[in-house]
Amino acid sequence: MSLTQECDRERGWSEVPESKAGGPAQWLRQLPKSTTPSTLSTLKLTAGAATAGLALAAAVATAAGPWDSGQRTAERDRAVTQEGVGGADHGRTGPAPVPSAPSVLAALGASEGGDGSGGSVPAPTAVALADVLEPLLKDSALGPERTASVVDAATGDTVYRSKADTAVVPASTTKIATATAALAALGPDHRLTTRVVAEDGSGELTLVGAGDPTLTAHKNADGAASLRELADRTAAALKKRSSGSDAPASDDKPAGKKDAKDAKDGKNGKNDAGKDKSSGGIKLAYDTSLYSGTAKHPLGPNDNLAPVTALMADEGRLDDSAKGPAPRSGNPAGDAARTFADLLADRGVKIDGAPREDKAPKKAKPLAGTSSAPLSALVERMLTNSDNDIGEALARQVALDAGEPASFDGAEKAVKARLDKLGLPVSGTRFADGSGLDRDDRITAQLLTGLLSAAADPKRPELRPVLTGLPVAGFTGTLAGRYDSEGAAPGTGLVRAKTGTLTGINTLAGSVVDADGRLLVFAFTASKTVAPQAAQDALDRLASAIANCGCR
């Protein structure tokens, strides 16, 4: 099997909601352990069709896809370690929310008793759960170093642990920490706004990066910040300014009919707002000063992560693909600015010369803006599809909120401090990056389950996207191509988890509804593994064992 074939791939499956007894989720739970991959594929299609009406009634959006994974392609090209599932760009429709979690949230509601007891649904006992998990943890495919933690989401009680406080390389499960810190710091409704600013009477515009890697130049922005709409608004604002009106264009609303008409007028030569008497046009600069430090990830150039800069369009991809690994620009900020200049020119705004990098003048005022999807949607996209560019961007947003430099070092300090403020066990941990590609990252299984428990806490609703963004086993994101091996099938549709894969490192952390309807959160890590596929299958069997067990 090639390295590329080892990658997980999302096929765009819909989630199977937990429903009434005898519904699709219960039906999947009852699959025999001997279910074959081909049979399971047929069952997935049948279950997906059966639950389409339920999903519509629940207003559950289907995941955008399909998505490719991708880090192993870069690993083949560069003899360094990196994430093996989830590409850096996962499609233009990503900012739209991924499937919500009716099964997880229904189970959580059933488990909550309001008094901390967990309600009427019984929790598994530590002894019974250990009897089920310990034989599976001895699987040689997991390598010589394994850690585990299972926690009752309703009470926060640990029901199983094995070396849970040992800090290990977490791979992409680092994104759970990044997501939690960002949501806690900024809130789920926060948006990143890319702006165009200018001084009064100036013949120069500055495109100011906001650290939004989902900014797109494609015609169909589908909820993301749009470079095209920003050009529409800028052209319209310039026309207003030339007529004596200083009101900036709206940042959040789609370009209206009047903005579109103004842009059309400009294209037809009716808009002279882009003309400067001295030069024949307007100069364009671009500002990336929001971030500091190096833009180069320690991993080096690769197809799964663009240089980390405050301004980029479509994550710096050099092709028109919407999934998986792709060649990346060495200067995504410059490329975005040049694309913006071309879009302005199409709208009758003449740009004099090539865009240049420069910090916006202190007296510059907002002229136009375009905003990202809410942070909740960015988090869900990042977790479902293991989006590395969003991971690095959100870590820097946490740094900015904390008053730290928006750099690798500043983000590490800010993320750890924010998690510590939440009362989570951060001793011995490291957050060398926001994506999990850096082998210097260190996280414990105890912290991972602590993060997931916090997201399940009804007193912390702002953290809930950490749960709703997790891939669904056998159906979405980086788990779409998994849970079809022997012993893993019972977890299909019931396990939601973030994957993590580096060379010799395999991790899985998420939530699962057990046979009694109890919501549990778990984290399993395996280090020094030698067969990635076998290690992934072993991890899937561990999570599925919980789904198939009342363990009392």
Side-chain angles (χ1 to χ4, degrees):
M1 179 178 292
S2 68
L3 291 176
T4 302
Q5 289 173 323
E6 290 175 357
C7 295
D8 290 337
R9 296 182 181 275
E10 178 173 0
R11 304 187 184 100
W13 300 108
S14 297
E15 178 186 352
V16 180
E18 183 74 11
S19 56
K20 296 180 181 179
Q26 181 65 27
W27 176 53
L28 282 170
R29 189 195 298 283
Q30 295 171 350
L31 288 175
K33 293 184 179 181
S34 60
T35 300
T36 64
S38 60
T39 302
L40 182 59
S41 296
T42 302
L43 292 176
K44 285 180 182 178
L45 291 172
T46 305
T51 58
L54 289 174
L56 179 61
V60 178
T62 57
W67 311 115
D68 271 345
S69 58
Q71 275 77 331
R72 289 197 179 274
T73 300
E75 182 176 27
R76 178 189 59 200
D77 298 332
R78 181 178 175 85
V80 292
T81 57
Q82 58 192 73
E83 170 68 8
V85 291
D89 181 90
H90 303 278
R92 295 189 290 275
T93 58
V98 298
S100 57
S103 60
V104 171
L105 302 186
L108 180 59
S111 299
E112 291 168 0
D115 58 359
S117 65
S120 60
V121 178
T125 66
V127 173
L129 192 57
D131 288 342
V132 170
L133 295 180
E134 287 182 354
L136 297 175
L137 278 169
K138 293 177 181 179
D139 191 326
S140 60
L142 294 173
E145 299 176 6
R146 312 108 187 237
T147 74
S149 177
V150 182
V151 171
D152 181 0
T155 64
D157 294 337
T158 298
V159 290
Y160 181 78
R161 59 181 287 134
S162 176
K163 299 181 179 178
D165 57 356
T166 299
V168 299
V169 180
S172 197
T173 53
T174 297
K175 292 183 177 75
I176 297 175
T178 303
T180 303
L183 289 166
L186 303 168
D189 298 325
H190 182 77
R191 296 173 186 260
L192 308 177
T193 302
T194 303
R195 290 187 169 89
V196 173
V197 302
E199 287 187 292
D200 290 339
S202 170
E204 180 170 281
L205 305 176
T206 304
L207 176 63
V208 183
D212 178 12
T214 66
L215 175 69
T216 182
H218 293 291
K219 288 184 179 180
N220 182 12
D222 201 12
S226 170
L227 209 55
R228 291 172 181 266
E229 287 194 352
L230 184 59
D232 286 341
R233 293 167 183 161
T234 300
L238 287 171
K239 184 175 182 180
K240 290 177 183 178
R241 191 171 73 166
S242 67
S243 64
S245 174
D246 293 328
S250 169
D251 288 347
D252 300 319
K253 295 180 180 179
K257 292 182 179 180
K258 191 172 188 306
D259 287 344
K261 180 180 182 300
D262 289 345
K264 183 178 180 181
D265 287 347
K267 191 171 184 178
N268 293 335
K270 299 178 183 179
N271 184 0
D272 60 359
K275 295 181 180 179
D276 179 77
K277 294 181 180 179
S278 62
S279 64
I282 284 180
K283 296 183 183 297
L284 177 64
Y286 60 95
D287 185 347
T288 63
S289 63
L290 185 69
Y291 288 0
S292 59
T294 181
K296 295 180 180 179
H297 190 279
L299 185 66
N302 67 92
D303 287 352
N304 301 284
L305 179 68
V308 185
T309 178
L311 176 65
M312 65 175 71
D314 299 297
E315 297 183 333
R317 301 168 71 85
L318 294 178
D319 59 18
D320 196 40
S321 63
K323 59 180 181 178
R328 301 303 184 100
S329 168
N331 181 16
D335 286 351
R338 285 184 284 274
T339 298
F340 185 62
D342 291 341
L343 291 170
L344 287 175
D346 289 343
R347 289 151 178 79
V349 179
K350 182 179 179 181
I351 299 299
D352 183 23
R356 61 185 179 83
E357 185 170 4
D358 195 10
K359 193 171 183 178
K362 292 183 178 179
K363 295 182 180 180
K365 297 179 180 179
L367 196 66
T370 181
S371 295
S372 71
L375 180 60
S376 58
L378 300 185
V379 162
E380 289 179 325
R381 173 180 175 177
M382 175 184 69
L383 293 174
T384 300
N385 306 307
S386 201
D387 193 301
N388 300 314
D389 297 273
I390 295 179
E392 299 302 340
L394 295 189
R396 280 158 180 73
Q397 294 298 324
V398 178
L400 290 168
D401 179 77
E404 296 284 353
S407 62
F408 285 106
D409 290 341
E412 176 172 10
K413 293 177 183 177
V415 168
K416 188 168 184 174
R418 175 58 64 172
L419 298 183
D420 184 49
K421 188 174 181 179
L422 289 173
L424 294 166
V426 295
S427 177
T429 60
R430 274 210 65 188
F431 305 94
D433 68 358
S435 62
L437 293 175
D438 196 324
R439 277 187 168 269
D440 287 338
D441 290 329
R442 292 291 184 276
I443 294 181
T444 65
Q446 179 183 11
L447 174 58
L448 288 170
T449 50
L451 292 163
L452 294 162
S453 293
D457 188 341
K459 296 179 181 178
R460 291 172 171 165
E462 72 279 4
L463 302 183
R464 198 54 61 90
V466 173
L467 290 184
T468 59
L470 295 173
V472 181
F475 286 88
T476 63
T478 56
L479 286 183
R482 289 169 60 164
Y483 285 81
D484 54 4
S485 63
E486 184 177 357
T492 303
L494 301 174
V495 172
R496 298 182 68 111
K498 182 70 198 76
T499 56
T501 308
L502 298 172
T503 299
I505 300 293
N506 296 89
T507 59
L508 190 69
S511 66
V512 58
V513 181
D514 73 7
D516 289 325
R518 190 82 173 192
L519 181 66
L520 305 174
V521 294
F522 65 87
F524 301 115
T525 76
S527 303
K528 300 182 180 179
T529 59
V530 295
Q533 186 62 56
Q536 289 178 5
D537 291 346
L539 291 173
D540 293 347
R541 285 192 289 271
L542 281 162
S544 291
I546 303 174
N548 210 34
C549 177
C551 296
R552 286 176 284 115

